[in-house]
Amino acid sequence: DGGITQSPKYLFRKEGQNVTLSCEQNLNHDAMYWYRQDPGQGLRLIYYSQIVNDFQKGDIAEGYSVSREKKESFPLTVTSAQKNPTAFYLCASSASGRAREQFFGPGTRLTVL
Amino acid sequence: KQEVTQIPAALSVPEGENLVLNCSFTDSAIYNLQWFRQDPGKGLTSLLLIQSSQREQTSGRLNASLDKSSGRSTLYIAASQPGDSATYLCAVYGNQFYFGTGTSLTVIP
């Protein structure tokens, strides 16, 4: 089955720790995205990548980092510099070009202890 | 900056009723609009994608319309069922994707 997988489903972080969220897709999509979802707010874009070895900051990139070494993978690291990381994190992918339709993974819920 | 608004924030209807969800956006320079469904604690499931040159798209009991000039889209759900209960989000794509905050739908048996 084609799709997007995210792991882990739940993640707990202690103060001062860096944690990495995994996102893998087998849809052969060029573009991948990371969003953060908080209660009562719409999805906010953290980072996106249009192609391997290239990525751009979104609206709320501070305290996060990403890499795009393979087309299929776009891991997100939540660093200790992110002061309020507790949220639901969603990874998405799409084909490139104007007629792009986004597909989402199941999400990772990160909680700071 | 593009702003996407969905009203109402929550909606409760009896089973079998037809209903309309609304999505408005401030910048009409978009390439497409996408409707999603999100169940609690889950990712987003794509329902319908409307290209900027299209007026509507249909899938089963769902029909989405797009009026770019007025910055509006509607999602029509026919003969609602309890299984339709979820949050429905719209997103527009111009230079990036922008999402509304969603409408939480409850269909009462």
Side-chain angles (χ1 to χ4, degrees):
Chain A
D1 284 335
I4 303 174
T5 58
Q6 291 186 242
S7 63
K9 186 173 181 179
Y10 299 98
L11 187 57
F12 299 91
R13 193 193 92 169
K14 295 181 180 179
E15 295 282 350
Q17 268 186 341
N18 292 353
V19 292
T20 297
L21 284 60
S22 169
C23 177
E24 304 275 335
Q25 55 99 0
N26 61 3
L27 300 169
N28 200 33
H29 285 161
D30 287 319
M32 296 187 74
Y33 313 80
W34 274 106
Y35 293 93
R36 171 180 171 141
Q37 187 176 36
D38 296 280
Q41 299 195 38
L43 274 68
R44 293 184 289 169
L45 182 64
I46 304 172
Y47 269 98
Y48 65 100
S49 169
Q50 304 274 30
I51 197 167
V52 174
N53 292 323
D54 185 58
F55 48 83
Q56 310 294 329
K57 292 182 179 181
D59 298 321
I60 56 165
E62 185 175 350
Y64 300 97
S65 66
V66 293
S67 63
R68 186 86 187 275
E69 297 176 1
K70 299 187 300 181
K71 187 175 185 178
E72 302 79 17
S73 179
F74 191 40
L76 173 74
T77 296
V78 184
T79 75
S80 56
Q82 170 51 237
K83 296 308 177 187
N84 185 24
T86 295
F88 191 50
Y89 290 87
L90 289 159
C91 178
S93 72
S94 74
S96 56
R98 295 181 177 182
R100 55 183 72 192
E101 180 177 8
Q102 277 198 319
F103 296 89
F104 280 80
T108 292
R109 183 164 299 281
L110 173 62
T111 302
V112 174
L113 301 174
Chain B
K1 181 184 173 181
Q2 178 76 268
E3 292 186 6
V4 182
T5 304
Q6 293 185 248
I7 295 173
L11 182 63
S12 212
V13 300
E15 181 177 1
E17 192 163 295
N18 302 328
L19 60 102
V20 174
L21 306 180
N22 298 294
C23 173
S24 61
F25 47 96
T26 55
D27 186 350
S28 61
I30 64 169
Y31 295 121
N32 63 49
L33 184 144
Q34 196 170 354
W35 281 95
F36 296 90
R37 168 189 173 132
Q38 185 177 30
D39 293 287
K42 306 290 186 183
L44 278 65
T45 300
S46 180
L47 297 174
L48 288 164
L49 174 74
I50 311 178
Q51 303 293 349
S52 61
S53 58
Q54 298 174 318
R55 298 285 293 185
E56 64 178 76
Q57 280 286 346
T58 298
S59 176
R61 294 183 294 109
L62 305 179
N63 176 278
S65 68
L66 174 63
D67 184 341
K68 255 186 60 172
S69 60
S70 67
R72 295 180 186 275
S73 175
T74 61
L75 179 66
Y76 174 83
I77 302 177
S80 59
Q81 303 171 356
D84 295 330
S85 298
T87 296
Y88 291 80
L89 296 99
C90 66
V92 297
Y93 177 66
N95 60 341
Q96 71 175 64
F97 287 95
Y98 291 94
F99 286 80
T101 52
T103 294
S104 177
L105 173 66
T106 302
V107 181
I108 304 166

